[in-house]
Amino acid sequence: MTENPAAQERERDEVAESIVAEGDAPQAATAEVEAPQPTEAAAEAETTSEAPAADAAPADEVVEEPAAEAADEPAAEAAAPSASPTPRPVPRPMPRPRPAAAPTPAAVAAEAPARVVPPADAAEAAHAATFGRVDEEGSVYVREASGERVVGQFPGATPDEALALYVRRYLDLLAKVVLFETRLTARDLAIKEIDQTLARLTEELAAPAAVGDLDGLRARMDGLRTLAAERRAAAEAERAAAREAAVAARTHIVEQAEKIASTDPERIQWRPAGEQLRLLLEQWKDAQRSGPRIDRPTEEALWKRFSHARTTFDRERRHFFAELESRNAGAKQAKEALVLEAEKLSTSTDWGHTAGAYRDLMTRWKAAGRASRADDDALWARFRAAQDAFFAARDAESAATDSEYQANLEVKEAILVEAERLVPVTDLASAKSTLRTLQDRWEAAGKVPRGDVQRVEGRMRAVETAVRDAEQAVWRRSNPETRARAEGAAAQLESAIAALEADLASAQAKGDKRKVEEAQAALDARRAWLEQVQRAAQDARG
């Protein structure tokens, strides 16, 4: 709980003036009333300044005799001649600001307005004051469960003024405890800061120079220790969960890198894979910079796996492209030789042989593999140019020749009209004689344009095939062996039919329906076969 610094300054002046008014000017002391500070660092400084000496009052309560007040000593003695001086503790210099000369009571009354105490502080202060007392010598006591304890001395002041200083120190400690209690609920409070504050407050509450419910304040601190332990446990759990998530994220990065590194070099796409590995490295660095910290052994093990995956990928990539460069060089050399052959053949006029040679060169080109894109494209352009030059020359000559063969085409088409009249063949001997005459005229007509060769030759072959098939059919019918086999089969069937007719008559006589049905079915089948054999034999006889 903080107070107005100006009010604190006025209070110090008021206390000093009251001491002067009582006639203690020669030994007047400037009792410093310290205002509570809102920060813990200032509280530590105040605690240090409150450390009591071995055989004297606390340092900030030692009565100090300022040199500037010595000049007012005769006047003070004249005002109170019967006053007998009382022994004072030996003064010690203090690093505290003090007035150069004590003001007169009239000046204090005129200049210092009444100090306003907040109601909440006033209530706390009144309650805290019930735990202390001041004896006749100005010693201040505090009551604890273990008994009374001297916390300091404020001679030359009223009991209320002496008690107020130590009450305010208790209020300062209370404010620190309340502030710590409030901050414990903040999720961003570090565990280290919690432990440091606990240690500091525990030390300050061990035997403080303060008056108030110190036992209750210590009990409140015990509750805060339990709350701090829970907060510490929760923070540790959150930290452990964050570390676990960080390890899982790093492990996922490593597994992705290992998956890329284990891909078959013949199937991997090196550029996208390299970009993905670089992205994974940036993710690793970002997790290392801004993510939760993980334990060093785990991080080193994961980094070793990640680094090994990247090294493996780089080694396989270099090896692949080295082999690719070697293959490209071999393919380039082989294709350069093919291009030279193709360029030599481009001026050949041996159309048939050279066309076959170009087909062979194309097969060898495909088997040579690929060179680098630039080399392959350049070599293919030369190969294709040589090939196009040859076929363009052949096509030009074929076009000239085709114009000469156009008349031969007209003659052969007329021959085809006569030949196709022979089909279907009704008179084999006449058809064969006419076809031989037409074939002689066909050969004498000469060549036809290249584009019509297959068409006209196909039509002539169809007529020849029809005549040949008709001749084969006649031969099959007149073949003596075929006729003999048909007649022998007919005799066997006639004998079987006679036997089945006898079986049928016997079964009918006995009235055996089953045997009658079987004999009748077998007899019908044999008669059908006999009819077919007799027809075949008739065809063979002509």
Side-chain angles (χ1 to χ4, degrees):
M1 291 176 290
T2 61
E3 294 182 358
N4 190 337
Q8 298 169 8
E9 199 64 46
R10 286 194 297 271
E11 184 179 2
R12 284 196 294 269
D13 295 343
E14 183 179 353
V15 172
E17 183 62 29
S18 64
I19 295 174
V20 174
E22 291 176 358
D24 295 330
Q27 296 86 16
T30 306
E32 297 177 1
V33 179
E34 296 181 9
Q37 302 298 323
T39 61
E40 296 178 4
E44 290 180 347
E46 178 184 346
T47 304
T48 304
S49 67
E50 292 171 359
D55 55 354
D60 55 357
E61 298 175 22
V62 173
V63 178
E64 183 179 73
E65 183 176 359
E69 296 178 358
D72 297 333
E73 185 175 350
E77 291 178 354
S82 62
S84 60
T86 58
R88 300 292 183 185
V90 178
R92 290 190 297 159
M94 291 294 297
R96 303 285 182 146
R98 62 183 185 275
T104 61
V108 172
E111 295 178 5
R115 179 171 177 269
V116 179
V117 179
D121 283 1
E124 290 283 355
H127 177 69
T130 61
F131 289 85
R133 68 181 180 86
V134 182
D135 64 8
E136 296 176 354
E137 296 180 354
S139 297
V140 182
Y141 294 83
V142 64
R143 187 174 65 257
E144 297 177 308
S146 59
E148 281 191 337
R149 177 172 57 87
V150 178
V151 296
Q153 191 177 34
F154 199 154
T158 64
D160 290 341
E161 292 172 346
L163 199 59
L165 171 65
Y166 296 96
V167 167
R168 183 164 298 113
R169 290 179 179 175
Y170 167 79
L171 296 180
D172 291 346
L173 290 174
L174 177 61
K176 293 178 184 179
V177 173
V178 171
L179 176 61
F180 179 56
E181 186 177 27
T182 303
R183 295 191 64 196
L184 271 180
T185 61
R187 300 185 62 85
D188 57 345
L189 186 61
I191 300 300
K192 182 178 180 181
E193 188 174 356
I194 292 176
D195 294 339
Q196 290 176 348
T197 306
L198 274 175
R200 185 168 59 251
L201 289 178
T202 300
E203 181 181 358
E204 291 180 6
L205 287 174
V211 172
D213 187 6
L214 297 178
D215 293 324
L217 198 56
R218 293 187 187 107
R220 191 168 182 176
M221 274 298 300
D222 291 338
L224 292 183
R225 288 189 185 91
T226 303
L227 183 60
E230 295 175 355
R231 179 68 181 88
R232 184 185 301 105
E236 289 294 342
E238 292 176 0
R239 191 180 306 168
R243 282 197 299 267
E244 185 177 351
V247 170
R250 300 277 189 96
T251 303
H252 181 64
I253 293 174
V254 171
E255 289 174 349
Q256 286 184 293
E258 289 174 340
K259 182 179 179 181
I260 294 172
S262 62
T263 305
D264 184 1
E266 296 297 331
R267 301 177 59 186
I268 194 171
Q269 296 182 357
W270 295 103
R271 185 181 298 277
E275 291 294 335
Q276 189 174 0
L277 267 182
R278 279 190 287 273
L279 178 60
L280 291 175
L281 179 60
E282 291 301 322
Q283 291 177 1
W284 178 281
K285 291 179 179 179
D286 183 65
Q288 201 171 32
R289 284 192 301 264
S290 58
R293 296 183 62 84
I294 61 178
D295 59 285
R296 182 175 294 276
T298 302
E299 185 175 29
E300 289 179 351
L302 289 174
W303 172 251
K304 186 177 180 180
R305 289 173 56 189
F306 185 65
S307 179
H308 178 70
R310 294 176 63 230
T311 303
T312 301
F313 175 83
D314 291 338
R315 182 178 63 250
E316 292 295 336
R317 180 174 58 182
R318 287 193 298 270
H319 179 68
F320 175 83
F321 283 104
E323 288 188 348
L324 180 62
E325 185 65 25
S326 178
R327 291 197 302 266
N328 288 348
K332 179 182 178 182
Q333 185 176 1
K335 288 185 175 181
E336 284 176 343
L338 294 175
V339 168
L340 292 177
E341 292 185 45
E343 290 174 343
K344 289 179 182 178
L345 293 174
S346 62
T347 56
S348 173
T349 56
D350 186 358
W351 310 119
H353 175 74
T354 306
Y358 270 113
R359 285 192 293 271
D360 179 62
L361 287 177
M362 179 59 70
T363 301
R364 291 163 58 191
W365 178 279
K366 293 178 180 178
R370 289 188 60 83
S372 64
R373 181 179 296 274
D375 293 336
D376 210 61
D377 291 346
L379 291 172
W380 172 251
R382 289 175 58 190
F383 183 87
R384 185 64 180 269
Q387 189 180 46
D388 290 347
F390 166 78
F391 286 106
R394 190 192 69 173
D395 293 343
E397 183 170 336
S398 297
T401 303
D402 289 347
S403 63
E404 297 177 3
Y405 293 162
Q406 188 64 35
N408 299 341
L409 176 62
E410 294 176 0
V411 173
K412 285 193 173 184
E413 286 181 341
I415 294 172
L416 284 172
V417 171
E418 295 182 39
E420 288 171 347
R421 290 174 184 168
L422 300 175
V423 180
V425 178
T426 55
D427 187 349
L428 180 60
S430 176
K432 291 172 65 177
S433 176
T434 303
L435 181 59
R436 282 193 295 270
T437 301
L438 293 175
Q439 288 174 334
D440 293 339
R441 290 169 56 193
W442 182 272
E443 294 296 332
K447 297 181 179 180
V448 298
R450 183 182 301 273
D452 298 311
V453 171
Q454 293 184 354
R455 179 177 61 83
V456 296
E457 290 289 343
R459 291 172 63 186
M460 191 63 177
R461 297 294 177 268
V463 174
E464 293 172 351
T465 299
V467 174
R468 187 164 48 254
D469 290 345
E471 186 178 11
Q472 290 294 330
V474 171
W475 166 251
R476 285 193 299 271
R477 288 196 300 271
S478 60
N479 189 352
E481 294 180 0
T482 303
R483 185 169 60 251
R485 286 195 299 271
E487 291 175 352
Q492 292 177 0
L493 287 172
E494 288 174 352
S495 175
I497 289 171
L500 289 171
E501 288 176 345
D503 292 341
L504 178 61
S506 176
Q508 289 174 345
K510 294 178 180 180
D512 190 343
K513 294 183 179 180
R514 183 177 63 81
K515 288 187 177 181
V516 169
E517 292 176 357
E518 292 177 353
Q520 184 65 48
L523 182 61
D524 293 341
R526 297 304 185 279
R527 286 173 178 172
W529 293 351
L530 178 61
E531 183 180 354
Q532 293 178 0
V533 170
Q534 288 175 346
R535 188 182 301 113
Q538 183 67 26
D539 292 340
R541 286 192 295 270

